[in-house]
Amino acid sequence: MTIFQRFWVFIIGLIMVILALSFITNPDENSYLWVILFLFLGLAIKGVKDIIFYFTMARHMAGGKLILVQGVIVLDFAFLTGSLSDVPKIYVLLYLIAVHAFSGVVEILRAMEARRTVSGPWKLKFSHGIVNFILALSCFVFIRQTSTALIIYSIGLLYSGLMHMGSAFRKTTYVMIN
């Protein structure tokens, strides 16, 4: 990563931590709508970014069509999330359970694959998967409480923000071909 990229990753992580702390310390009835809005924006930006990446670079790569499919699916999830503002909160909790459980299982499987092939980064991926799975489990346990969606989202946002801030300071390896 360049210094400019590290700076932006750190700033994004800092914004995520500030948002998470503000959600935890000042919960109100509009916080639910803020969670929906931030989930929608985050997923929409990720989906559009993947689609643009496909058309600019990934279509020339092996397995590049998978990035296009991923971008379209994430953009569809963004639109689904944006439409959840008028439904009961139990559906958003079920949605959070599904998202955290799926991403937790995927991260754990990716960590196990990285453990077999590479020595270093598998522990961080494994811990990220465990945290996501614990968030899904805690969301399932506290599904009857209405403030659960805000707390679970805030904890996940806080963890992701701290991981972003940590990754800005981590040394990155790169391959140099002579």
Side-chain angles (χ1 to χ4, degrees), residues 19-38:
L19 282 173
L21 291 176
S22 71
F23 282 154
I24 290 173
T25 57
N26 301 323
D28 60 356
E29 64 272 355
N30 290 334
S31 299
Y32 175 74
L33 295 175
W34 284 108
V35 168
I36 297 292
L37 177 70
F38 286 125

PDB file of all heavy atoms in Angstrom, residues 19-38:
ATOM      1  N   LEU A  19     -18.446   6.287  14.305  1.00  0.00           N
ATOM      2  CA  LEU A  19     -19.864   5.967  14.093  1.00  0.00           C
ATOM      3  C   LEU A  19     -20.336   4.877  15.044  1.00  0.00           C
ATOM      4  O   LEU A  19     -21.431   4.976  15.617  1.00  0.00           O
ATOM      5  CB  LEU A  19     -20.096   5.534  12.646  1.00  0.00           C
ATOM      6  CG  LEU A  19     -20.163   6.629  11.611  1.00  0.00           C
ATOM      7  CD1 LEU A  19     -20.232   6.024  10.217  1.00  0.00           C
ATOM      8  CD2 LEU A  19     -21.350   7.525  11.855  1.00  0.00           C
ATOM      9  N   ALA A  20     -19.532   3.849  15.215  1.00  0.00           N
ATOM     10  CA  ALA A  20     -19.923   2.749  16.098  1.00  0.00           C
ATOM     11  C   ALA A  20     -20.065   3.229  17.531  1.00  0.00           C
ATOM     12  O   ALA A  20     -21.036   2.885  18.224  1.00  0.00           O
ATOM     13  CB  ALA A  20     -18.905   1.614  16.017  1.00  0.00           C
ATOM     14  N   LEU A  21     -19.114   4.026  17.997  1.00  0.00           N
ATOM     15  CA  LEU A  21     -19.194   4.543  19.363  1.00  0.00           C
ATOM     16  C   LEU A  21     -20.379   5.485  19.547  1.00  0.00           C
ATOM     17  O   LEU A  21     -21.020   5.495  20.600  1.00  0.00           O
ATOM     18  CB  LEU A  21     -17.889   5.223  19.749  1.00  0.00           C
ATOM     19  CG  LEU A  21     -16.686   4.293  19.910  1.00  0.00           C
ATOM     20  CD1 LEU A  21     -15.432   5.086  20.204  1.00  0.00           C
ATOM     21  CD2 LEU A  21     -16.949   3.260  20.983  1.00  0.00           C
ATOM     22  N   SER A  22     -20.693   6.272  18.516  1.00  0.00           N
ATOM     23  CA  SER A  22     -21.854   7.160  18.630  1.00  0.00           C
ATOM     24  C   SER A  22     -23.156   6.371  18.641  1.00  0.00           C
ATOM     25  O   SER A  22     -24.106   6.750  19.327  1.00  0.00           O
ATOM     26  CB  SER A  22     -21.851   8.199  17.518  1.00  0.00           C
ATOM     27  OG  SER A  22     -22.137   7.599  16.274  1.00  0.00           O
ATOM     28  N   PHE A  23     -23.227   5.269  17.892  1.00  0.00           N
ATOM     29  CA  PHE A  23     -24.422   4.425  17.928  1.00  0.00           C
ATOM     30  C   PHE A  23     -24.583   3.761  19.290  1.00  0.00           C
ATOM     31  O   PHE A  23     -25.694   3.637  19.802  1.00  0.00           O
ATOM     32  CB  PHE A  23     -24.368   3.342  16.849  1.00  0.00           C
ATOM     33  CG  PHE A  23     -24.701   3.826  15.468  1.00  0.00           C
ATOM     34  CD1 PHE A  23     -24.198   3.171  14.364  1.00  0.00           C
ATOM     35  CD2 PHE A  23     -25.504   4.925  15.266  1.00  0.00           C
ATOM     36  CE1 PHE A  23     -24.506   3.593  13.092  1.00  0.00           C
ATOM     37  CE2 PHE A  23     -25.813   5.370  13.994  1.00  0.00           C
ATOM     38  CZ  PHE A  23     -25.312   4.702  12.910  1.00  0.00           C
ATOM     39  N   ILE A  24     -23.480   3.322  19.878  1.00  0.00           N
ATOM     40  CA  ILE A  24     -23.557   2.621  21.164  1.00  0.00           C
ATOM     41  C   ILE A  24     -23.908   3.599  22.288  1.00  0.00           C
ATOM     42  O   ILE A  24     -24.723   3.289  23.154  1.00  0.00           O
ATOM     43  CB  ILE A  24     -22.235   1.886  21.455  1.00  0.00           C
ATOM     44  CG1 ILE A  24     -22.086   0.704  20.489  1.00  0.00           C
ATOM     45  CG2 ILE A  24     -22.196   1.387  22.886  1.00  0.00           C
ATOM     46  CD1 ILE A  24     -20.750   0.009  20.572  1.00  0.00           C
ATOM     47  N   THR A  25     -23.314   4.788  22.260  1.00  0.00           N
ATOM     48  CA  THR A  25     -23.524   5.724  23.372  1.00  0.00           C
ATOM     49  C   THR A  25     -24.821   6.517  23.254  1.00  0.00           C
ATOM     50  O   THR A  25     -25.370   6.930  24.271  1.00  0.00           O
ATOM     51  CB  THR A  25     -22.348   6.709  23.491  1.00  0.00           C
ATOM     52  OG1 THR A  25     -22.196   7.411  22.251  1.00  0.00           O
ATOM     53  CG2 THR A  25     -21.078   5.980  23.841  1.00  0.00           C
ATOM     54  N   ASN A  26     -25.314   6.749  22.047  1.00  0.00           N
ATOM     55  CA  ASN A  26     -26.520   7.557  21.856  1.00  0.00           C
ATOM     56  C   ASN A  26     -27.578   6.814  21.045  1.00  0.00           C
ATOM     57  O   ASN A  26     -27.932   7.241  19.949  1.00  0.00           O
ATOM     58  CB  ASN A  26     -26.187   8.877  21.152  1.00  0.00           C
ATOM     59  CG  ASN A  26     -25.196   9.708  21.902  1.00  0.00           C
ATOM     60  OD1 ASN A  26     -25.226   9.743  23.121  1.00  0.00           O
ATOM     61  ND2 ASN A  26     -24.307  10.372  21.187  1.00  0.00           N
ATOM     62  N   PRO A  27     -28.115   5.720  21.554  1.00  0.00           N
ATOM     63  CA  PRO A  27     -29.151   5.030  20.782  1.00  0.00           C
ATOM     64  C   PRO A  27     -30.475   5.797  20.839  1.00  0.00           C
ATOM     65  O   PRO A  27     -30.866   6.301  21.880  1.00  0.00           O
ATOM     66  CB  PRO A  27     -29.261   3.674  21.479  1.00  0.00           C
ATOM     67  CG  PRO A  27     -28.821   3.932  22.862  1.00  0.00           C
ATOM     68  CD  PRO A  27     -27.810   5.036  22.793  1.00  0.00           C
ATOM     69  N   ASP A  28     -31.129   5.923  19.707  1.00  0.00           N
ATOM     70  CA  ASP A  28     -32.459   6.516  19.657  1.00  0.00           C
ATOM     71  C   ASP A  28     -33.286   5.762  18.624  1.00  0.00           C
ATOM     72  O   ASP A  28     -32.826   4.799  18.012  1.00  0.00           O
ATOM     73  CB  ASP A  28     -32.395   8.016  19.360  1.00  0.00           C
ATOM     74  CG  ASP A  28     -31.735   8.341  18.028  1.00  0.00           C
ATOM     75  OD1 ASP A  28     -31.252   7.413  17.367  1.00  0.00           O
ATOM     76  OD2 ASP A  28     -31.697   9.520  17.655  1.00  0.00           O
ATOM     77  N   GLU A  29     -34.512   6.211  18.413  1.00  0.00           N
ATOM     78  CA  GLU A  29     -35.386   5.489  17.483  1.00  0.00           C
ATOM     79  C   GLU A  29     -34.961   5.656  16.035  1.00  0.00           C
ATOM     80  O   GLU A  29     -35.315   4.854  15.180  1.00  0.00           O
ATOM     81  CB  GLU A  29     -36.841   5.918  17.665  1.00  0.00           C
ATOM     82  CG  GLU A  29     -37.116   7.368  17.335  1.00  0.00           C
ATOM     83  CD  GLU A  29     -36.902   8.311  18.510  1.00  0.00           C
ATOM     84  OE1 GLU A  29     -36.628   7.862  19.628  1.00  0.00           O
ATOM     85  OE2 GLU A  29     -36.990   9.518  18.290  1.00  0.00           O
ATOM     86  N   ASN A  30     -34.199   6.698  15.712  1.00  0.00           N
ATOM     87  CA  ASN A  30     -33.731   6.896  14.345  1.00  0.00           C
ATOM     88  C   ASN A  30     -32.442   6.128  14.060  1.00  0.00           C
ATOM     89  O   ASN A  30     -31.997   6.087  12.920  1.00  0.00           O
ATOM     90  CB  ASN A  30     -33.512   8.378  14.062  1.00  0.00           C
ATOM     91  CG  ASN A  30     -34.809   9.135  14.000  1.00  0.00           C
ATOM     92  OD1 ASN A  30     -35.857   8.575  13.690  1.00  0.00           O
ATOM     93  ND2 ASN A  30     -34.758  10.416  14.322  1.00  0.00           N
ATOM     94  N   SER A  31     -31.836   5.546  15.075  1.00  0.00           N
ATOM     95  CA  SER A  31     -30.594   4.799  14.872  1.00  0.00           C
ATOM     96  C   SER A  31     -30.811   3.604  13.959  1.00  0.00           C
ATOM     97  O   SER A  31     -29.933   3.231  13.193  1.00  0.00           O
ATOM     98  CB  SER A  31     -30.042   4.327  16.210  1.00  0.00           C
ATOM     99  OG  SER A  31     -29.751   5.425  17.019  1.00  0.00           O
ATOM    100  N   TYR A  32     -31.988   3.003  14.056  1.00  0.00           N
ATOM    101  CA  TYR A  32     -32.328   1.876  13.194  1.00  0.00           C
ATOM    102  C   TYR A  32     -32.253   2.286  11.724  1.00  0.00           C
ATOM    103  O   TYR A  32     -31.704   1.569  10.895  1.00  0.00           O
ATOM    104  CB  TYR A  32     -33.720   1.373  13.564  1.00  0.00           C
ATOM    105  CG  TYR A  32     -34.260   0.303  12.683  1.00  0.00           C
ATOM    106  CD1 TYR A  32     -33.773  -0.992  12.777  1.00  0.00           C
ATOM    107  CD2 TYR A  32     -35.252   0.572  11.758  1.00  0.00           C
ATOM    108  CE1 TYR A  32     -34.272  -1.992  11.979  1.00  0.00           C
ATOM    109  CE2 TYR A  32     -35.754  -0.416  10.956  1.00  0.00           C
ATOM    110  CZ  TYR A  32     -35.267  -1.697  11.064  1.00  0.00           C
ATOM    111  OH  TYR A  32     -35.752  -2.679  10.263  1.00  0.00           O
ATOM    112  N   LEU A  33     -32.783   3.458  11.408  1.00  0.00           N
ATOM    113  CA  LEU A  33     -32.735   3.950  10.028  1.00  0.00           C
ATOM    114  C   LEU A  33     -31.310   4.289   9.609  1.00  0.00           C
ATOM    115  O   LEU A  33     -30.938   4.104   8.448  1.00  0.00           O
ATOM    116  CB  LEU A  33     -33.647   5.161   9.868  1.00  0.00           C
ATOM    117  CG  LEU A  33     -35.137   4.873  10.054  1.00  0.00           C
ATOM    118  CD1 LEU A  33     -35.936   6.160   9.997  1.00  0.00           C
ATOM    119  CD2 LEU A  33     -35.624   3.887   9.016  1.00  0.00           C
ATOM    120  N   TRP A  34     -30.500   4.769  10.565  1.00  0.00           N
ATOM    121  CA  TRP A  34     -29.100   5.044  10.252  1.00  0.00           C
ATOM    122  C   TRP A  34     -28.349   3.751   9.934  1.00  0.00           C
ATOM    123  O   TRP A  34     -27.513   3.719   9.031  1.00  0.00           O
ATOM    124  CB  TRP A  34     -28.416   5.785  11.399  1.00  0.00           C
ATOM    125  CG  TRP A  34     -28.783   7.226  11.479  1.00  0.00           C
ATOM    126  CD1 TRP A  34     -29.579   7.823  12.403  1.00  0.00           C
ATOM    127  CD2 TRP A  34     -28.384   8.253  10.579  1.00  0.00           C
ATOM    128  NE1 TRP A  34     -29.703   9.154  12.141  1.00  0.00           N
ATOM    129  CE2 TRP A  34     -28.962   9.453  11.025  1.00  0.00           C
ATOM    130  CE3 TRP A  34     -27.592   8.292   9.441  1.00  0.00           C
ATOM    131  CZ2 TRP A  34     -28.781  10.666  10.373  1.00  0.00           C
ATOM    132  CZ3 TRP A  34     -27.407   9.495   8.800  1.00  0.00           C
ATOM    133  CH2 TRP A  34     -27.989  10.657   9.254  1.00  0.00           C
ATOM    134  N   VAL A  35     -28.647   2.699  10.671  1.00  0.00           N
ATOM    135  CA  VAL A  35     -28.018   1.404  10.398  1.00  0.00           C
ATOM    136  C   VAL A  35     -28.381   0.934   8.996  1.00  0.00           C
ATOM    137  O   VAL A  35     -27.516   0.501   8.227  1.00  0.00           O
ATOM    138  CB  VAL A  35     -28.433   0.367  11.460  1.00  0.00           C
ATOM    139  CG1 VAL A  35     -28.032  -1.038  11.037  1.00  0.00           C
ATOM    140  CG2 VAL A  35     -27.824   0.702  12.796  1.00  0.00           C
ATOM    141  N   ILE A  36     -29.655   1.038   8.646  1.00  0.00           N
ATOM    142  CA  ILE A  36     -30.097   0.653   7.303  1.00  0.00           C
ATOM    143  C   ILE A  36     -29.383   1.498   6.249  1.00  0.00           C
ATOM    144  O   ILE A  36     -28.916   0.976   5.232  1.00  0.00           O
ATOM    145  CB  ILE A  36     -31.634   0.804   7.173  1.00  0.00           C
ATOM    146  CG1 ILE A  36     -32.350  -0.128   8.139  1.00  0.00           C
ATOM    147  CG2 ILE A  36     -32.097   0.577   5.754  1.00  0.00           C
ATOM    148  CD1 ILE A  36     -32.203  -1.584   7.834  1.00  0.00           C
ATOM    149  N   LEU A  37     -29.285   2.793   6.494  1.00  0.00           N
ATOM    150  CA  LEU A  37     -28.635   3.683   5.532  1.00  0.00           C
ATOM    151  C   LEU A  37     -27.163   3.341   5.347  1.00  0.00           C
ATOM    152  O   LEU A  37     -26.673   3.251   4.217  1.00  0.00           O
ATOM    153  CB  LEU A  37     -28.780   5.145   5.977  1.00  0.00           C
ATOM    154  CG  LEU A  37     -28.070   6.174   5.094  1.00  0.00           C
ATOM    155  CD1 LEU A  37     -28.771   6.282   3.750  1.00  0.00           C
ATOM    156  CD2 LEU A  37     -28.011   7.516   5.781  1.00  0.00           C
ATOM    157  N   PHE A  38     -26.446   3.125   6.457  1.00  0.00           N
ATOM    158  CA  PHE A  38     -25.021   2.808   6.340  1.00  0.00           C
ATOM    159  C   PHE A  38     -24.781   1.431   5.727  1.00  0.00           C
ATOM    160  O   PHE A  38     -23.830   1.253   4.969  1.00  0.00           O
ATOM    161  CB  PHE A  38     -24.327   2.935   7.690  1.00  0.00           C
ATOM    162  CG  PHE A  38     -24.133   4.356   8.120  1.00  0.00           C
ATOM    163  CD1 PHE A  38     -24.599   4.795   9.337  1.00  0.00           C
ATOM    164  CD2 PHE A  38     -23.489   5.258   7.303  1.00  0.00           C
ATOM    165  CE1 PHE A  38     -24.432   6.100   9.733  1.00  0.00           C
ATOM    166  CE2 PHE A  38     -23.310   6.573   7.682  1.00  0.00           C
ATOM    167  CZ  PHE A  38     -23.789   6.999   8.894  1.00  0.00           C
TER     168      PHE A  38
END
